[in-house]
Amino acid sequence: MTTLECTARRIGDLESRTEEYELTYSADGGSPKTVRVRYQAARAFEINESLDRGVEAAKAAISEVDPDLAGRVSEEALSQLTWRAMQSVKYEEGAPRTSALEL
């Protein structure tokens, strides 16, 4: 079974209303795919845009190790992984944390 890992780290000004994250996705030994996202919590379109960028990076990481699997994993599952990863480091002051999803 393939495991997708997402390592999240909050970057930027931690006191700002704009939240910025660096997300790195890797799947079973493939090369990591990194994306930086930023949004204001009051702007749903910015949050959705950030999640979409995370999903695309996750799919790219999965495609590298198993192209067929990338098409079968739901965008909802990848979006939830991305959101949980970002929220897990929201108050960690730059410390990274890794979340995983069995595919």
Side-chain angles (χ1 to χ4, degrees), residues 62-83:
I62 297 166
S63 291
E64 188 173 297
V65 295
D66 188 346
D68 294 330
L69 182 58
R72 294 190 314 252
V73 177
S74 76
E75 290 187 3
E76 180 67 26
L78 299 176
S79 182
Q80 287 179 6
L81 172 67
T82 299
W83 182 250

Side-chain angles (χ1 to χ4, degrees), residues 10-64:
R10 185 150 182 204
I11 57 176
D13 181 7
L14 300 178
E15 301 299 319
S16 172
R17 293 179 59 198
T18 299
E19 297 180 31
E20 296 179 68
Y21 298 92
E22 180 179 78
L23 306 167
T24 302
Y25 298 88
S26 61
D28 289 348
S31 62
K33 307 297 182 213
T34 301
V35 63
R36 289 182 174 211
V37 298
R38 63 184 286 171
Y39 63 84
Q40 285 190 14
R43 296 184 176 168
F45 71 93
E46 288 182 1
I47 294 171
N48 289 335
E49 209 172 77
S50 295
L51 294 174
D52 289 346
R53 291 186 63 210
V55 167
E56 290 305 314
K59 282 187 173 188
I62 297 166
S63 291
E64 188 173 297

